[in-house]
Amino acid sequence: MRKWTFHLTGTTHILNTVSTFGSSGGLGEAAAWLCLRQDIYISLTSQQPLRTDLHSFHHSDVFQRNDDFAWSSRMVFLLAKVVQSAFTDPTMAQGVQHEIEEWYSSKPDTFDPVRSAPRGPEPDRRFPTIWLLLPVHGT
């Protein structure tokens, strides 16, 4: 285990033990979402399964709210499900793909780019340019 993952070991243990953190509202839920984002990053960079129990997030109010922050959190949750299916249960991928398509087709217009330009052959255009309204839209 790499030492840059030790903080996540303790945090995920607490979150998985107290399963209401992911849906308790307030600071506890905010911390749970931050932990989930860090767990996704570490899982992808270390090629290891998620440590966070995703079931504790199912009752979060982000699945009822309709603001951009809630929509962004829903996509983070879907990304976590993709990562989980890649490392633990590949049969889950088909259902997650449907959920992602549903998210994309029903997302608010605010998630659409205000400007975009395709990539080009120039060194400063290796990636497409995509402008969004708020940082939360790119999370």
Side-chain angles (χ1 to χ4, degrees):
M1 181 182 304
R2 296 188 175 130
K3 60 181 166 181
W4 48 268
T5 65
F6 285 139
H7 74 287
L8 190 61
T9 301
T11 308
T12 54
H13 181 68
I14 292 169
L15 291 178
N16 292 342
T17 303
V18 184
S19 63
T20 58
F21 269 132
S23 59
S24 63
L27 192 55
E29 185 171 346
W33 283 99
L34 285 172
C35 178
L36 179 60
R37 286 184 172 101
Q38 288 181 1
D39 197 9
I40 291 169
Y41 173 78
I42 289 173
S43 176
L44 290 172
T45 57
S46 67
Q47 300 292 298
Q48 304 226 350
L50 290 175
R51 298 178 185 184
T52 306
D53 180 12
L54 298 181
H55 290 82
S56 64
F57 290 88
H58 284 272
H59 298 292
S60 173
D61 72 337
V62 302
F63 299 106
Q64 274 72 49
R65 293 190 348 240
N66 206 22
D67 59 273
D68 287 352
F69 294 95
W71 278 91
S72 179
S73 293
R74 286 182 218 157
M75 182 45 76
V76 168
F77 185 75
L78 290 174
L79 175 59
K81 288 174 81 171
V82 167
V83 171
Q84 183 181 42
S85 72
F87 291 114
T88 58
D89 186 6
T91 61
M92 195 172 102
Q94 190 66 24
V96 176
Q97 180 180 352
H98 175 71
E99 289 181 71
I100 291 169
E101 290 168 358
E102 187 177 310
W103 181 96
Y104 188 81
S105 66
S106 58
K107 70 182 177 0
D109 293 339
T110 52
F111 280 82
D112 294 335
V114 291
R115 180 180 185 276
S116 63
R119 64 184 223 112
E122 302 86 13
D124 63 338
R125 302 257 329 263
R126 299 277 189 225
F127 295 99
T129 300
I130 302 172
W131 290 7
L132 300 167
L133 289 175
L134 296 170
V136 71
H137 296 137
T139 300

